[in-house]
Amino acid sequence: MGWLRDETGLEKNAANYVPLTPLSHLRRAATVFPNHLAVVYGTHRKTYAEYHERATRLASALQKMGVRPGEVVATLIPNIPAQAEAHFGVPACAAILNTINVRLDLDTVAYIFDHGEAKVVLADSQFLNLTEAACAEMEGVPPKIIEVPDSAAGFPASGKYKTYEELLETGDRDFEWIMPQDEWESLALNYTSGTTGRPKGVVSHHRGSYLMTMGTVVSWQMTLNPVFMTIVPLFHCNGWNHTWMMPLLGGTLICCRDITASAIYNAIADEGVKYFGGAPIVLNMIVNAKRGERRTFDHTVEVFTAGAPPAPSTLAKIEKLGFNVTQVYGLTETYGHVTECVWDEARWGELEGADRAAVKARQGVAFPMMEYITVMDETMQQVPMDGLTQGEIMIRGNCVMKGYLKNKEATDESFAGEYFHSGDIAVQHPDTYLQIADRAKDIIISGGENISSVEIEGVLMAHPSVSLCAVVAKPDEKWGEVPCAFIELLDGRTASEDEIIQFARSKVAGFKAPKRVIFQELPKTSTGKIQKFELRGVAKNLD
């Protein structure tokens, strides 16, 4: 087998080795699908030829502003066309894209500007005040501000800065894209949620994003010209890399600035949306939509959901509405989803109701572009695949980050044992399918017994009055910790604390049932994740 190895003298050259990059997808689409509709946002309807030209002008204009290869260009933009164009235009001038969560506080945005050393920031007019204040709080040199107005949404230009369209006018349509010389070159910088301490800067590379787009196409069983809606914020894992994926198939990207049930139903009915990704809270929104918000449609909508295990009751309800949901799992450090619950019709086709939903709620097996994902114990040994023994999800593959920017200690810790340590606690079934039990920090230890908050949440979501819930640990003098439930009720529905507790006790062992129930609106991130760290703070101070 020696002839397969490099000692033969065979070498890479321009004919047999081209660094993998998602930039290739849009360059190809401009030639293969030039007149096909690429991006839609209200009256903004651009073909692939136009999409490519706008991204090219952006790359050229940024270079003329002084942005050099390897420097960071930040954005504070919701899911509108400028954010999609930045995904190609920024790396096309060899800069690194840093999409910043628009819901972050002033101090954190200032920290990210400083830590990432952004040279330019593209800022939506709605978030211009935040951008300006963050720049003023920085210790280093603030980025140059380019304003991205959205008059149709009620956010016109302030007149204080060059606008995005004015910036594009300065760009050269014949600008030659700067493609990576090495696919390990940095493509994007994304910051973790930072619920404890400062957020960490996750650095991704061209190879990983390219392979993510390829693997997603296979897993979602996509064909040419899909119509896809951006519900996952493009500042969250770059929208799970779906925007980079769409040109691969000549797909149409439907931008959605404000995520509402009516916006989702309208896009499905009017634009023919067939694919989108979203957190379980989005599924909940669809299931609980009012009659006036719903529209009829005659096709199945394929949905990837992640962020937290969706309640089996929610999955059971949404299928009846025309949505086929696939549970996926991943982290910012893995570019988004890296496992999927591949449905086996032969084994599970006859399952119905709660039994069917329970299987669909599993996080599943590795995506085709990943190498190995499993559950290990504290000694880095495989746990028994019995569906009961808990361990940590360990990940290996090309869609794992390069590391944390300027944080070697955290990088080394996360890669100990040559696997990426997810921090998520799971069991593994005999068929190798993973199922998350909890985040390590969310496990409730009561009287020496481990209680999965995810399990209790799934039970409570089946109550007819519950819209959304979260379960966290409440300190207890006798047991150490006990479950405490925070609940949002459906409009027009009522429930008492005792009713909820008794409902839980009818479904699970008594020690797992919540000992306190608080009815309130749940704090959420922009991606729909419930901010349990805030709820833990509330629970800590309860009597």
Side-chain angles (χ1 to χ4, degrees), residues 347-390:
R347 284 194 293 162
W348 304 319
E350 295 183 0
L351 294 179
E352 296 181 354
D355 291 337
R356 180 181 178 89
V359 173
K360 282 213 160 194
R362 295 179 184 177
Q363 282 62 45
V365 294
F367 264 73
M369 73 282 182
M370 296 305 292
E371 190 62 27
Y372 194 62
I373 301 178
T374 193
V375 180
M376 295 181 176
D377 63 21
E378 294 178 353
T379 66
M380 298 292 291
Q381 298 300 308
Q382 173 70 49
V383 301
M385 296 186 188
D386 55 11
L388 298 172
T389 306
Q390 295 185 352

Short mmCIF file of all heavy atoms in Angstrom, two decimals, residues 347-390:
data_model
loop_
_atom_site.label_atom_id
_atom_site.label_comp_id
_atom_site.label_asym_id
_atom_site.label_seq_id
_atom_site.Cartn_x
_atom_site.Cartn_y
_atom_site.Cartn_z
N ARG A 347 -38.12 0.43 11.56
CA ARG A 347 -38.21 0.20 13.00
C ARG A 347 -39.30 1.02 13.67
O ARG A 347 -39.94 0.57 14.62
CB ARG A 347 -36.87 0.53 13.67
CG ARG A 347 -35.80 -0.52 13.48
CD ARG A 347 -34.64 -0.28 14.43
NE ARG A 347 -33.92 0.95 14.11
CZ ARG A 347 -33.10 1.60 14.95
NH1 ARG A 347 -32.94 1.12 16.18
NH2 ARG A 347 -32.46 2.69 14.58
N TRP A 348 -39.48 2.25 13.20
CA TRP A 348 -40.32 3.19 13.93
C TRP A 348 -41.56 3.65 13.18
O TRP A 348 -42.34 4.46 13.69
CB TRP A 348 -39.49 4.42 14.31
CG TRP A 348 -38.26 4.08 15.11
CD1 TRP A 348 -38.15 3.16 16.11
CD2 TRP A 348 -36.95 4.67 14.98
NE1 TRP A 348 -36.88 3.14 16.63
CE2 TRP A 348 -36.11 4.06 15.95
CE3 TRP A 348 -36.42 5.66 14.16
CZ2 TRP A 348 -34.77 4.40 16.11
CZ3 TRP A 348 -35.09 6.00 14.31
CH2 TRP A 348 -34.27 5.37 15.26
N GLY A 349 -41.74 3.16 11.97
CA GLY A 349 -42.84 3.65 11.14
C GLY A 349 -44.22 3.48 11.73
O GLY A 349 -45.13 4.27 11.45
N GLU A 350 -44.42 2.44 12.56
CA GLU A 350 -45.74 2.19 13.12
C GLU A 350 -45.96 2.89 14.46
O GLU A 350 -47.06 2.84 15.01
CB GLU A 350 -45.94 0.68 13.29
CG GLU A 350 -45.95 -0.08 11.96
CD GLU A 350 -46.22 -1.56 12.16
OE1 GLU A 350 -46.39 -1.99 13.33
OE2 GLU A 350 -46.26 -2.29 11.15
N LEU A 351 -44.93 3.55 14.96
CA LEU A 351 -45.10 4.27 16.23
C LEU A 351 -46.02 5.47 16.05
O LEU A 351 -46.01 6.14 15.02
CB LEU A 351 -43.74 4.75 16.75
CG LEU A 351 -42.74 3.67 17.18
CD1 LEU A 351 -41.45 4.33 17.65
CD2 LEU A 351 -43.32 2.79 18.28
N GLU A 352 -46.78 5.75 17.06
CA GLU A 352 -47.71 6.88 17.02
C GLU A 352 -47.63 7.68 18.31
O GLU A 352 -47.14 7.18 19.34
CB GLU A 352 -49.14 6.39 16.80
CG GLU A 352 -49.38 5.70 15.46
CD GLU A 352 -50.82 5.27 15.29
OE1 GLU A 352 -51.60 5.40 16.27
OE2 GLU A 352 -51.16 4.78 14.19
N GLY A 353 -48.12 8.90 18.24
CA GLY A 353 -48.27 9.72 19.43
C GLY A 353 -46.99 9.93 20.21
O GLY A 353 -45.93 10.21 19.66
N ALA A 354 -47.09 9.71 21.53
CA ALA A 354 -45.97 9.98 22.42
C ALA A 354 -44.78 9.07 22.13
O ALA A 354 -43.62 9.48 22.25
CB ALA A 354 -46.41 9.83 23.86
N ASP A 355 -45.06 7.81 21.73
CA ASP A 355 -43.95 6.88 21.44
C ASP A 355 -43.15 7.35 20.24
O ASP A 355 -41.92 7.29 20.23
CB ASP A 355 -44.51 5.47 21.17
CG ASP A 355 -45.09 4.83 22.42
OD1 ASP A 355 -44.69 5.24 23.52
OD2 ASP A 355 -45.95 3.95 22.29
N ARG A 356 -43.83 7.82 19.21
CA ARG A 356 -43.16 8.33 18.00
C ARG A 356 -42.37 9.59 18.33
O ARG A 356 -41.21 9.74 17.94
CB ARG A 356 -44.20 8.62 16.92
CG ARG A 356 -43.64 9.15 15.61
CD ARG A 356 -44.79 9.43 14.63
NE ARG A 356 -44.32 9.98 13.37
CZ ARG A 356 -43.96 9.25 12.32
NH1 ARG A 356 -44.01 7.93 12.39
NH2 ARG A 356 -43.54 9.83 11.20
N ALA A 357 -43.00 10.49 19.07
CA ALA A 357 -42.35 11.76 19.42
C ALA A 357 -41.13 11.53 20.31
O ALA A 357 -40.14 12.24 20.19
CB ALA A 357 -43.34 12.68 20.11
N ALA A 358 -41.20 10.53 21.18
CA ALA A 358 -40.08 10.26 22.08
C ALA A 358 -38.84 9.85 21.31
O ALA A 358 -37.72 10.25 21.64
CB ALA A 358 -40.46 9.17 23.08
N VAL A 359 -39.01 9.07 20.24
CA VAL A 359 -37.87 8.68 19.40
C VAL A 359 -37.36 9.88 18.63
O VAL A 359 -36.15 10.10 18.51
CB VAL A 359 -38.27 7.54 18.45
CG1 VAL A 359 -37.14 7.26 17.46
CG2 VAL A 359 -38.59 6.27 19.23
N LYS A 360 -38.28 10.68 18.10
CA LYS A 360 -37.87 11.85 17.32
C LYS A 360 -37.13 12.88 18.15
O LYS A 360 -36.40 13.72 17.60
CB LYS A 360 -39.10 12.49 16.66
CG LYS A 360 -39.60 11.77 15.44
CD LYS A 360 -40.17 12.74 14.43
CE LYS A 360 -40.22 12.15 13.04
NZ LYS A 360 -40.47 13.17 12.02
N ALA A 361 -37.29 12.84 19.45
CA ALA A 361 -36.63 13.80 20.32
C ALA A 361 -35.17 13.45 20.60
O ALA A 361 -34.45 14.22 21.20
CB ALA A 361 -37.38 13.93 21.64
N ARG A 362 -34.72 12.29 20.12
CA ARG A 362 -33.33 11.91 20.32
C ARG A 362 -32.42 12.79 19.45
O ARG A 362 -32.82 13.25 18.38
CB ARG A 362 -33.10 10.44 19.96
CG ARG A 362 -33.82 9.45 20.85
CD ARG A 362 -33.57 8.02 20.40
NE ARG A 362 -34.33 7.05 21.19
CZ ARG A 362 -34.33 5.74 20.96
NH1 ARG A 362 -33.62 5.25 19.95
NH2 ARG A 362 -35.05 4.94 21.71
N GLN A 363 -31.19 12.95 19.91
CA GLN A 363 -30.22 13.75 19.14
C GLN A 363 -29.54 12.91 18.06
O GLN A 363 -28.95 13.47 17.14
CB GLN A 363 -29.18 14.36 20.08
CG GLN A 363 -29.69 15.59 20.83
CD GLN A 363 -30.86 15.29 21.74
OE1 GLN A 363 -30.87 14.32 22.48
NE2 GLN A 363 -31.88 16.15 21.69
N GLY A 364 -29.60 11.59 18.17
CA GLY A 364 -29.25 10.74 17.06
C GLY A 364 -27.79 10.41 16.86
O GLY A 364 -27.03 10.20 17.81
N VAL A 365 -27.40 10.37 15.59
CA VAL A 365 -26.08 9.91 15.18
C VAL A 365 -25.35 11.02 14.43
O VAL A 365 -25.94 12.03 14.06
CB VAL A 365 -26.19 8.66 14.28
CG1 VAL A 365 -26.75 7.49 15.06
CG2 VAL A 365 -27.08 8.94 13.06
N ALA A 366 -24.06 10.81 14.17
CA ALA A 366 -23.24 11.84 13.54
C ALA A 366 -23.70 12.14 12.12
O ALA A 366 -24.11 11.25 11.37
CB ALA A 366 -21.79 11.40 13.52
N PHE A 367 -23.64 13.42 11.76
CA PHE A 367 -23.84 13.83 10.36
C PHE A 367 -22.77 13.18 9.49
O PHE A 367 -21.68 12.83 9.98
CB PHE A 367 -23.73 15.35 10.25
CG PHE A 367 -25.04 16.08 10.29
CD1 PHE A 367 -25.75 16.20 11.48
CD2 PHE A 367 -25.57 16.65 9.15
CE1 PHE A 367 -26.95 16.88 11.53
CE2 PHE A 367 -26.77 17.34 9.18
CZ PHE A 367 -27.48 17.45 10.37
N PRO A 368 -23.01 13.05 8.19
CA PRO A 368 -22.04 12.36 7.32
C PRO A 368 -20.69 13.04 7.22
O PRO A 368 -19.69 12.39 6.89
CB PRO A 368 -22.74 12.30 5.96
CG PRO A 368 -23.82 13.32 6.02
CD PRO A 368 -24.25 13.40 7.45
N MET A 369 -20.61 14.36 7.51
CA MET A 369 -19.31 15.03 7.39
C MET A 369 -18.48 14.92 8.66
O MET A 369 -17.34 15.37 8.71
CB MET A 369 -19.50 16.51 7.02
CG MET A 369 -20.02 17.39 8.14
SD MET A 369 -21.81 17.18 8.37
CE MET A 369 -22.14 18.37 9.66
N MET A 370 -19.07 14.31 9.72
CA MET A 370 -18.35 14.17 10.98
C MET A 370 -17.67 12.81 11.07
O MET A 370 -18.06 11.86 10.38
CB MET A 370 -19.29 14.35 12.16
CG MET A 370 -19.89 15.75 12.24
SD MET A 370 -18.65 17.07 12.27
CE MET A 370 -17.90 16.78 13.88
N GLU A 371 -16.65 12.71 11.93
CA GLU A 371 -15.87 11.49 12.02
C GLU A 371 -16.42 10.55 13.09
O GLU A 371 -16.76 9.41 12.82
CB GLU A 371 -14.41 11.82 12.32
CG GLU A 371 -13.47 10.63 12.20
CD GLU A 371 -13.43 10.05 10.80
OE1 GLU A 371 -13.68 10.81 9.83
OE2 GLU A 371 -13.16 8.85 10.67
N TYR A 372 -16.50 11.03 14.34
CA TYR A 372 -16.92 10.15 15.41
C TYR A 372 -17.50 10.99 16.53
O TYR A 372 -16.88 11.93 17.01
CB TYR A 372 -15.73 9.33 15.92
CG TYR A 372 -16.12 8.16 16.80
CD1 TYR A 372 -16.92 7.13 16.30
CD2 TYR A 372 -15.71 8.10 18.13
CE1 TYR A 372 -17.28 6.06 17.10
CE2 TYR A 372 -16.07 7.02 18.94
CZ TYR A 372 -16.85 6.01 18.42
OH TYR A 372 -17.22 4.94 19.21
N ILE A 373 -18.71 10.63 16.96
CA ILE A 373 -19.37 11.32 18.06
C ILE A 373 -19.97 10.25 18.96
O ILE A 373 -20.72 9.38 18.51
CB ILE A 373 -20.47 12.27 17.55
CG1 ILE A 373 -19.87 13.32 16.60
CG2 ILE A 373 -21.15 12.97 18.74
CD1 ILE A 373 -20.87 14.28 16.02
N THR A 374 -19.63 10.31 20.23
CA THR A 374 -20.08 9.26 21.15
C THR A 374 -20.21 9.84 22.55
O THR A 374 -20.04 11.04 22.77
CB THR A 374 -19.10 8.07 21.11
OG1 THR A 374 -19.70 6.95 21.76
CG2 THR A 374 -17.78 8.42 21.76
N VAL A 375 -20.52 8.96 23.51
CA VAL A 375 -20.67 9.38 24.91
C VAL A 375 -19.62 8.66 25.74
O VAL A 375 -19.49 7.43 25.68
CB VAL A 375 -22.08 9.04 25.43
CG1 VAL A 375 -22.22 9.48 26.89
CG2 VAL A 375 -23.15 9.73 24.57
N MET A 376 -18.85 9.42 26.51
CA MET A 376 -17.77 8.86 27.31
C MET A 376 -17.90 9.25 28.77
O MET A 376 -18.54 10.27 29.10
CB MET A 376 -16.40 9.34 26.79
CG MET A 376 -16.05 8.85 25.41
SD MET A 376 -14.42 9.46 24.90
CE MET A 376 -14.24 8.64 23.31
N ASP A 377 -17.27 8.45 29.63
CA ASP A 377 -17.27 8.78 31.06
C ASP A 377 -16.09 9.69 31.38
O ASP A 377 -15.38 10.15 30.49
CB ASP A 377 -17.25 7.50 31.91
CG ASP A 377 -15.99 6.66 31.70
OD1 ASP A 377 -14.96 7.19 31.23
OD2 ASP A 377 -16.03 5.46 32.01
N GLU A 378 -15.87 9.93 32.66
CA GLU A 378 -14.84 10.88 33.08
C GLU A 378 -13.43 10.41 32.75
O GLU A 378 -12.49 11.21 32.73
CB GLU A 378 -14.96 11.14 34.59
CG GLU A 378 -16.24 11.87 34.97
CD GLU A 378 -16.36 12.08 36.46
OE1 GLU A 378 -15.51 11.55 37.20
OE2 GLU A 378 -17.30 12.79 36.88
N THR A 379 -13.26 9.11 32.49
CA THR A 379 -11.93 8.58 32.14
C THR A 379 -11.75 8.46 30.63
O THR A 379 -10.82 7.82 30.17
CB THR A 379 -11.72 7.20 32.80
OG1 THR A 379 -12.63 6.26 32.23
CG2 THR A 379 -11.93 7.28 34.29
N MET A 380 -12.66 9.07 29.86
CA MET A 380 -12.62 9.03 28.40
C MET A 380 -12.85 7.62 27.85
O MET A 380 -12.33 7.24 26.81
CB MET A 380 -11.29 9.59 27.87
CG MET A 380 -11.04 11.04 28.20
SD MET A 380 -12.17 12.17 27.34
CE MET A 380 -11.63 12.00 25.65
N GLN A 381 -13.66 6.84 28.57
CA GLN A 381 -14.04 5.51 28.10
C GLN A 381 -15.49 5.52 27.65
O GLN A 381 -16.33 6.23 28.23
CB GLN A 381 -13.84 4.47 29.22
CG GLN A 381 -12.41 4.32 29.69
CD GLN A 381 -11.48 3.89 28.57
OE1 GLN A 381 -11.73 2.90 27.88
NE2 GLN A 381 -10.38 4.64 28.38
N GLN A 382 -15.79 4.74 26.62
CA GLN A 382 -17.15 4.62 26.12
C GLN A 382 -18.10 4.13 27.22
O GLN A 382 -17.81 3.15 27.91
CB GLN A 382 -17.18 3.63 24.95
CG GLN A 382 -18.56 3.28 24.43
CD GLN A 382 -19.21 4.45 23.71
OE1 GLN A 382 -18.60 5.07 22.85
NE2 GLN A 382 -20.45 4.75 24.07
N VAL A 383 -19.23 4.82 27.38
CA VAL A 383 -20.21 4.35 28.36
C VAL A 383 -21.00 3.19 27.75
O VAL A 383 -21.08 3.05 26.52
CB VAL A 383 -21.18 5.47 28.77
CG1 VAL A 383 -20.44 6.65 29.37
CG2 VAL A 383 -22.05 5.92 27.59
N PRO A 384 -21.59 2.33 28.57
CA PRO A 384 -22.44 1.27 28.03
C PRO A 384 -23.59 1.88 27.22
O PRO A 384 -24.22 2.85 27.64
CB PRO A 384 -22.96 0.57 29.29
CG PRO A 384 -21.95 0.86 30.34
CD PRO A 384 -21.45 2.24 30.03
N MET A 385 -23.85 1.30 26.06
CA MET A 385 -24.93 1.78 25.21
C MET A 385 -26.23 1.10 25.64
O MET A 385 -26.78 0.25 24.93
CB MET A 385 -24.62 1.52 23.75
CG MET A 385 -23.41 2.27 23.24
SD MET A 385 -23.15 2.08 21.46
CE MET A 385 -21.55 2.85 21.25
N ASP A 386 -26.73 1.51 26.81
CA ASP A 386 -27.91 0.88 27.37
C ASP A 386 -29.09 1.84 27.53
O ASP A 386 -30.13 1.47 28.06
CB ASP A 386 -27.57 0.27 28.74
CG ASP A 386 -26.95 1.28 29.71
OD1 ASP A 386 -26.98 2.49 29.40
OD2 ASP A 386 -26.44 0.85 30.76
N GLY A 387 -28.90 3.09 27.06
CA GLY A 387 -29.97 4.08 27.18
C GLY A 387 -30.15 4.59 28.59
O GLY A 387 -31.10 5.34 28.86
N LEU A 388 -29.27 4.20 29.50
CA LEU A 388 -29.40 4.60 30.91
C LEU A 388 -28.15 5.26 31.47
O LEU A 388 -28.24 6.24 32.22
CB LEU A 388 -29.73 3.37 31.76
CG LEU A 388 -31.05 2.65 31.46
CD1 LEU A 388 -31.12 1.34 32.24
CD2 LEU A 388 -32.23 3.54 31.78
N THR A 389 -26.98 4.73 31.11
CA THR A 389 -25.72 5.23 31.68
C THR A 389 -25.36 6.58 31.08
O THR A 389 -25.27 6.72 29.85
CB THR A 389 -24.58 4.23 31.42
OG1 THR A 389 -24.97 2.95 31.90
CG2 THR A 389 -23.31 4.69 32.11
N GLN A 390 -25.12 7.56 31.93
CA GLN A 390 -24.85 8.91 31.46
C GLN A 390 -23.36 9.17 31.31
O GLN A 390 -22.53 8.60 32.02
CB GLN A 390 -25.45 9.93 32.42
CG GLN A 390 -26.97 9.90 32.47
CD GLN A 390 -27.54 11.01 33.33
OE1 GLN A 390 -26.81 11.73 34.01
NE2 GLN A 390 -28.85 11.17 33.29
#
